[in-house]
Amino acid sequence: MTQTEQKTVFLVDDSATNLTIGKNALIGKYNVFTIPSGEKLLKMLERISPDLILLDVEMPEMNGYETIKKVKSNVNTSNIPVIFLTAKTEAANELEGLSLGAIDYITKPFSPPLLLKRIEVHLLVEEQKNELKNYNENLMEMVREKTQTVVNLQNAILKTVAEMVECRDDITGSHIERTQNYLQALLDKIVENKLYMDQVSSWERTVFVQSAQLHDVGKIAIKDSILQKPDKLTFEEFEEMKTHTVFGEMIINKISKSAVEDAFLYHAKIFAISHHEKWDGSGYPIGLSGEDIPIEGRLMAIADVYDALVSTRPYKKAFSHEKAVEIICEGRGKHFDPNLVDVFISVSDKFKEISETVI
């Protein structure tokens, strides 16, 4: 073992004789620092972190028990192993030291070979503990990275599916990104205002926003002739269009049977089935009203309608941001949750920014 590989041991004792004996016993195997008091030990620990401390119990001014309390109370030194050196052999004294964080007791006068062996054993244990800790940390990081890779792949697949559905409706994939950004803006303000926290506080917000990309996945079951019709839909065609909410719920239910990510699909299913419900009960597919409409649907109603208003569609030209805000305000208490309309108004500038930059 080279000098640079040697472990560092602090030997703390008020007796110069004990310091000399201890240093002579350890010097060939360890880097040894001899320290004459608890106070000077604490000063040394500000500059050097040893692998182990040999600490005398019976010292004037600050004894070993008082010293170890200070060592263990400092986050920077609390993990350094401490072995007490003492002439006392009573069980009560050993119990007190061990309860304060010492890992062993060595009785003075000590046998140099025994001292070396005890130190060797404890340093080996500490090394193995550190290796196990590092292994566990690395393993957790590997699991986290693998899990994140799977989640990213899942999100990429679902996003691609959602964008393919939107393209059938002559809507770009940016609609999905914009509605997610609108939802994020609304959600941030809801949390800031502590609104609906009995529901929102338990959400993983990133998962919640990502799940919104599947809100229109049910359109995959609607005929192109309806999705891409440039004129107003007939009554029969509109009735068929309305079924995309039910189909969306069915599709996500099928996905959830073989998927692991429950929270993502839980919110996605609610978005799909409820985003066309209206506050006054005139929406579809169920005709829910007020707070019987899940908050996912009430939030998406505002995000989805705003994006439709400010975007060009086969059957309409884009409205201005100001006109879109006006229309949503007119729907307060009819189409939309009044509280959420107030939230929307407070972040409407953010909506405008999103609509102009996410294209």
Side-chain angles (χ1 to χ4, degrees):
M1 180 180 289
T2 65
Q3 186 71 16
T4 56
E5 293 173 331
Q6 288 183 337
K7 301 286 187 180
T8 297
V9 175
F10 281 4
L11 174 57
V12 187
D13 199 306
D14 64 305
S15 166
T17 301
N18 288 337
L19 290 177
T20 301
I21 294 171
K23 183 172 183 178
N24 289 338
L26 304 176
I27 194 63
K29 196 171 181 63
Y30 302 104
N31 294 322
V32 184
F33 289 79
T34 55
I35 304 170
S37 69
E39 293 89 342
K40 291 187 177 180
L41 167 66
L42 299 178
K43 288 289 184 183
M44 282 286 289
L45 289 173
E46 293 176 2
R47 298 185 290 110
I48 302 173
S49 180
D51 296 288
L52 183 139
I53 299 172
L54 296 171
L55 180 61
D56 185 27
V57 174
E58 300 87 21
M59 295 186 294
E61 297 182 14
M62 182 186 293
N63 65 29
Y65 298 140
E66 294 169 336
T67 303
I68 195 174
K69 287 179 183 178
K70 292 184 179 294
V71 171
K72 294 301 179 180
S73 65
N74 186 328
V75 67
N76 296 319
T77 59
S78 60
N79 290 325
I80 300 172
V82 177
I83 296 177
F84 271 132
L85 303 175
T86 181
K88 296 181 179 180
T89 58
E90 290 85 357
N93 293 324
E94 290 193 22
L95 182 60
E96 181 179 1
L98 295 173
S99 67
L100 292 174
I103 58 172
D104 201 357
Y105 260 82
I106 296 178
T107 304
K108 295 190 293 185
F110 48 76
S111 161
L114 179 60
L115 177 64
L116 281 169
K117 180 54 67 175
R118 297 279 277 274
I119 292 174
E120 180 184 338
V121 168
H122 284 299
L123 285 176
L124 179 61
V125 169
E126 290 299 315
E127 190 173 319
Q128 291 173 340
K129 281 169 57 179
N130 289 331
E131 287 178 358
L132 181 60
K133 179 183 177 183
N134 291 334
Y135 174 80
N136 287 336
E137 289 176 350
N138 290 335
L139 183 62
M140 289 175 65
E141 180 62 19
M142 289 170 60
V143 170
R144 189 198 67 77
E145 289 178 358
K146 189 68 175 178
T147 301
Q148 190 60 49
T149 299
V150 172
V151 170
N152 289 343
L153 176 61
Q154 170 187 277
N155 289 339
I157 293 171
L158 293 175
K159 183 178 180 181
T160 300
V161 170
E163 289 180 351
M164 289 174 62
V165 172
E166 297 291 358
C167 287
R168 291 185 64 234
D169 198 13
D170 281 348
I171 299 173
T172 69
S174 297
H175 165 71
I176 297 171
E177 187 177 350
R178 286 194 301 272
T179 52
Q180 287 180 296
N181 287 338
Y182 298 145
L183 285 172
Q184 187 67 65
L186 290 170
L187 186 57
D188 289 345
K189 182 58 68 170
I190 285 173
V191 172
E192 181 184 327
N193 293 348
K194 294 182 170 53
L195 183 65
Y196 296 128
M197 291 306 291
D198 56 327
Q199 300 168 71
V200 175
S201 62
S202 63
W203 292 350
E204 173 54 56
R205 295 178 208 165
T206 301
V207 171
F208 170 80
V209 172
Q210 288 176 341
S211 68
Q213 62 192 301
L214 293 180
H215 70 280
D216 270 339
V217 70
K219 286 183 178 178
I220 201 169
I222 306 301
K223 293 182 291 189
D224 286 346
S225 60
I226 293 177
L227 285 176
Q228 299 173 5
K229 185 175 180 178
D231 303 316
K232 185 177 180 179
L233 298 180
T234 65
F235 174 81
E236 290 76 15
E237 289 170 336
F238 185 58
E239 288 301 303
E240 182 174 341
M241 174 64 87
K242 286 170 20 176
T243 64
H244 81 274
T245 54
V246 177
F247 279 120
E249 183 185 47
M250 291 171 57
I251 290 167
I252 296 169
N253 272 332
K254 287 183 179 180
I255 295 172
S256 66
K257 289 180 181 179
S258 56
V260 177
E261 180 49 74
D262 292 331
F264 183 98
L265 295 172
Y266 170 80
H267 290 299
K269 180 168 63 174
I270 297 175
F271 276 124
I273 192 66
S274 66
H275 69 283
H276 282 293
E277 299 287 358
K278 296 183 180 180
W279 187 258
D280 63 6
S282 63
Y284 64 87
I286 302 172
L288 299 175
S289 63
E291 293 191 8
D292 287 339
I293 305 169
I295 192 169
E296 290 92 337
R298 282 138 58 196
L299 284 164
M300 180 56 78
I302 292 176
D304 203 31
V305 168
Y306 175 85
D307 198 62
L309 289 171
V310 299
S311 302
T312 300
R313 294 288 187 264
Y315 51 85
K316 63 172 277 295
K317 294 181 179 180
F319 288 106
S320 68
H321 165 75
E322 291 73 22
K323 183 62 177 177
V325 172
E326 179 185 335
I327 291 172
I328 289 177
C329 287
E330 289 173 356
R332 186 180 190 276
K334 291 178 280 188
H335 189 155
F336 309 110
D337 178 341
N339 292 325
L340 295 184
V341 171
D342 293 341
V343 172
F344 163 74
I345 293 170
S346 68
V347 296
S348 60
D349 287 346
K350 183 69 174 176
F351 269 57
K352 181 180 181 181
E353 178 186 339
I354 293 167
S355 70
E356 292 174 348
T357 56
V358 183
I359 300 173

Short mmCIF file of all heavy atoms in Angstrom, two decimals, residues 6 10 49 58 75 96 154 165 184 204 231 239 243 277 310 335 349 353 355:
data_model
loop_
_atom_site.label_atom_id
_atom_site.label_comp_id
_atom_site.label_asym_id
_atom_site.label_seq_id
_atom_site.Cartn_x
_atom_site.Cartn_y
_atom_site.Cartn_z
N GLN A 6 -2.94 5.08 2.06
CA GLN A 6 -3.16 4.81 3.48
C GLN A 6 -4.36 5.59 4.02
O GLN A 6 -4.60 6.73 3.65
CB GLN A 6 -1.90 5.19 4.28
CG GLN A 6 -0.74 4.22 4.07
CD GLN A 6 0.45 4.59 4.93
OE1 GLN A 6 0.60 5.73 5.35
NE2 GLN A 6 1.33 3.61 5.18
N PHE A 10 -7.14 9.81 13.27
CA PHE A 10 -6.89 10.83 14.29
C PHE A 10 -6.81 10.14 15.64
O PHE A 10 -7.74 9.39 16.01
CB PHE A 10 -8.01 11.87 14.33
CG PHE A 10 -7.95 12.90 13.24
CD1 PHE A 10 -6.98 12.86 12.25
CD2 PHE A 10 -8.87 13.95 13.22
CE1 PHE A 10 -6.93 13.83 11.26
CE2 PHE A 10 -8.83 14.92 12.23
CZ PHE A 10 -7.85 14.85 11.25
N SER A 49 -10.78 15.47 6.96
CA SER A 49 -11.77 14.46 7.35
C SER A 49 -11.08 13.10 7.41
O SER A 49 -10.72 12.53 6.37
CB SER A 49 -12.92 14.42 6.35
OG SER A 49 -13.88 13.46 6.72
N GLU A 58 -11.31 10.11 29.08
CA GLU A 58 -10.99 10.94 30.24
C GLU A 58 -10.01 12.05 29.86
O GLU A 58 -8.79 11.88 29.96
CB GLU A 58 -10.40 10.08 31.37
CG GLU A 58 -11.31 8.98 31.87
CD GLU A 58 -11.18 7.70 31.05
OE1 GLU A 58 -10.14 7.52 30.38
OE2 GLU A 58 -12.13 6.91 31.06
N VAL A 75 -23.16 17.72 10.50
CA VAL A 75 -23.48 16.91 9.32
C VAL A 75 -22.23 16.55 8.53
O VAL A 75 -22.19 15.50 7.87
CB VAL A 75 -24.49 17.67 8.42
CG1 VAL A 75 -23.86 18.93 7.82
CG2 VAL A 75 -25.04 16.76 7.33
N GLU A 96 -22.85 4.08 27.60
CA GLU A 96 -23.02 5.52 27.36
C GLU A 96 -22.31 5.93 26.08
O GLU A 96 -22.88 6.65 25.24
CB GLU A 96 -22.47 6.32 28.54
CG GLU A 96 -22.64 7.83 28.35
CD GLU A 96 -22.13 8.65 29.52
OE1 GLU A 96 -21.62 8.06 30.49
OE2 GLU A 96 -22.25 9.89 29.46
N GLN A 154 -43.10 5.49 -23.81
CA GLN A 154 -44.55 5.44 -23.73
C GLN A 154 -45.16 6.76 -24.17
O GLN A 154 -46.10 6.79 -24.98
CB GLN A 154 -44.98 5.13 -22.30
CG GLN A 154 -46.48 5.30 -22.04
CD GLN A 154 -46.80 5.16 -20.57
OE1 GLN A 154 -46.94 4.03 -20.11
NE2 GLN A 154 -46.91 6.24 -19.83
N VAL A 165 -54.10 11.18 -35.02
CA VAL A 165 -55.54 11.43 -34.95
C VAL A 165 -55.85 12.87 -35.31
O VAL A 165 -56.78 13.16 -36.08
CB VAL A 165 -56.07 11.10 -33.53
CG1 VAL A 165 -57.53 11.53 -33.40
CG2 VAL A 165 -55.93 9.61 -33.25
N GLN A 184 -51.19 23.83 -18.48
CA GLN A 184 -50.14 24.12 -17.50
C GLN A 184 -50.31 25.51 -16.91
O GLN A 184 -50.16 25.72 -15.70
CB GLN A 184 -48.77 24.00 -18.15
CG GLN A 184 -47.60 24.11 -17.18
CD GLN A 184 -47.54 22.95 -16.22
OE1 GLN A 184 -47.30 21.82 -16.62
NE2 GLN A 184 -47.74 23.22 -14.93
N GLU A 204 -49.83 14.38 -9.72
CA GLU A 204 -48.48 14.55 -10.28
C GLU A 204 -48.68 15.43 -11.50
O GLU A 204 -49.15 14.98 -12.55
CB GLU A 204 -47.89 13.19 -10.66
CG GLU A 204 -46.57 13.27 -11.40
CD GLU A 204 -45.51 14.07 -10.69
OE1 GLU A 204 -45.19 13.75 -9.53
OE2 GLU A 204 -45.02 15.05 -11.31
N ASP A 231 -67.93 22.03 -44.42
CA ASP A 231 -69.20 22.71 -44.12
C ASP A 231 -69.73 22.28 -42.76
O ASP A 231 -69.20 21.38 -42.11
CB ASP A 231 -70.24 22.37 -45.20
CG ASP A 231 -69.75 22.75 -46.60
OD1 ASP A 231 -69.19 23.85 -46.74
OD2 ASP A 231 -69.91 21.92 -47.51
N GLU A 239 -74.12 13.98 -34.39
CA GLU A 239 -74.35 12.92 -33.41
C GLU A 239 -73.24 11.88 -33.47
O GLU A 239 -72.81 11.36 -32.44
CB GLU A 239 -75.72 12.27 -33.66
CG GLU A 239 -76.91 13.13 -33.28
CD GLU A 239 -76.89 13.51 -31.80
OE1 GLU A 239 -76.86 12.58 -30.96
OE2 GLU A 239 -76.91 14.71 -31.49
N THR A 243 -69.70 10.93 -30.59
CA THR A 243 -69.31 9.63 -30.03
C THR A 243 -67.80 9.50 -29.84
O THR A 243 -67.34 8.53 -29.22
CB THR A 243 -69.80 8.47 -30.93
OG1 THR A 243 -69.16 8.56 -32.22
CG2 THR A 243 -71.30 8.51 -31.11
N GLU A 277 -68.38 18.25 -21.99
CA GLU A 277 -69.47 18.55 -21.06
C GLU A 277 -69.49 20.06 -20.80
O GLU A 277 -68.45 20.73 -20.89
CB GLU A 277 -69.29 17.79 -19.75
CG GLU A 277 -69.28 16.26 -19.89
CD GLU A 277 -70.65 15.67 -20.18
OE1 GLU A 277 -71.65 16.45 -20.24
OE2 GLU A 277 -70.74 14.44 -20.35
N VAL A 310 -58.97 30.47 -31.88
CA VAL A 310 -57.87 31.26 -32.45
C VAL A 310 -57.17 30.54 -33.60
O VAL A 310 -56.20 31.07 -34.15
CB VAL A 310 -56.83 31.64 -31.37
CG1 VAL A 310 -57.47 32.48 -30.28
CG2 VAL A 310 -56.16 30.40 -30.78
N HIS A 335 -71.23 27.50 -20.54
CA HIS A 335 -70.35 26.46 -21.06
C HIS A 335 -69.26 26.12 -20.04
O HIS A 335 -68.90 24.94 -19.87
CB HIS A 335 -69.72 26.95 -22.37
CG HIS A 335 -68.97 25.90 -23.12
ND1 HIS A 335 -68.77 25.96 -24.48
CD2 HIS A 335 -68.34 24.76 -22.73
CE1 HIS A 335 -68.07 24.91 -24.88
NE2 HIS A 335 -67.79 24.17 -23.83
N ASP A 349 -53.10 36.49 -21.14
CA ASP A 349 -51.92 36.95 -21.88
C ASP A 349 -50.97 35.78 -22.15
O ASP A 349 -50.33 35.73 -23.22
CB ASP A 349 -51.19 38.03 -21.08
CG ASP A 349 -51.93 39.35 -21.07
OD1 ASP A 349 -52.87 39.52 -21.90
OD2 ASP A 349 -51.60 40.22 -20.24
N GLU A 353 -49.64 34.32 -25.80
CA GLU A 353 -48.22 34.04 -26.08
C GLU A 353 -48.04 32.63 -26.61
O GLU A 353 -47.30 32.39 -27.57
CB GLU A 353 -47.41 34.25 -24.81
CG GLU A 353 -45.92 33.95 -24.96
CD GLU A 353 -45.18 34.04 -23.63
OE1 GLU A 353 -45.70 34.69 -22.70
OE2 GLU A 353 -44.10 33.44 -23.53
N SER A 355 -50.32 30.70 -28.10
CA SER A 355 -50.95 30.55 -29.41
C SER A 355 -50.10 31.13 -30.53
O SER A 355 -50.15 30.67 -31.68
CB SER A 355 -52.33 31.21 -29.42
OG SER A 355 -52.22 32.63 -29.36
#
